[in-house]
Amino acid sequence: MSPKRRRRCGPRRTARWKSAWECTAGRFTASRDSNSETCHIVSGRVSLHGPDGRSEDVGPGEMLVLPKGWRGEWTIHEKTRKLYILHFEA
């Protein structure tokens, strides 16, 4: 589940890493303690479960933002590919 390629972009005040990511069906927990993440789902289908019990389904062509401090669980329903940018404050 690690990215195949990373690239830094953006001004020096804010570091950004962009990459592509693929994952097969399953579940895992994630946290964005030190950064936010912007994602574009290219293929597949996922559900995001937040700590407040809310759940959101996301599929191909949709974008989502996980704000800094977000914690939750991803359910990958089928092989999924996403493009993402991690935003870090310097």
Side-chain angles (χ1 to χ4, degrees), residues 4-65:
K4 294 179 183 175
R5 186 175 136 201
R6 286 187 157 185
R7 187 173 194 185
R8 184 181 184 279
C9 61
R12 290 180 184 228
R13 292 172 297 170
T14 305
R16 296 182 184 123
W17 293 94
K18 62 183 180 179
S19 188
W21 173 92
E22 284 187 356
C23 186
T24 55
R27 281 181 97 131
F28 61 90
T29 58
S31 63
R32 294 287 159 253
D33 293 330
S34 61
N35 62 283
S36 63
E37 178 178 355
T38 303
C39 303
H40 176 255
I41 303 298
V42 177
S43 62
R45 193 170 52 86
V46 305
S47 296
L48 296 170
H49 312 279
D52 58 1
R54 288 184 40 195
S55 181
E56 186 169 344
D57 296 328
V58 186
E62 294 184 289
M63 293 188 73
L64 63 110
V65 174

Side-chain angles (χ1 to χ4, degrees), residues 45-85:
R45 193 170 52 86
V46 305
S47 296
L48 296 170
H49 312 279
D52 58 1
R54 288 184 40 195
S55 181
E56 186 169 344
D57 296 328
V58 186
E62 294 184 289
M63 293 188 73
L64 63 110
V65 174
L66 301 175
K68 183 177 177 180
W70 182 87
R71 290 174 177 259
E73 185 173 85
W74 287 69
T75 299
I76 311 297
H77 300 287
E78 59 193 52
K79 184 177 179 180
T80 297
R81 179 173 173 81
K82 74 175 182 177
L83 303 175
Y84 70 93
I85 301 172

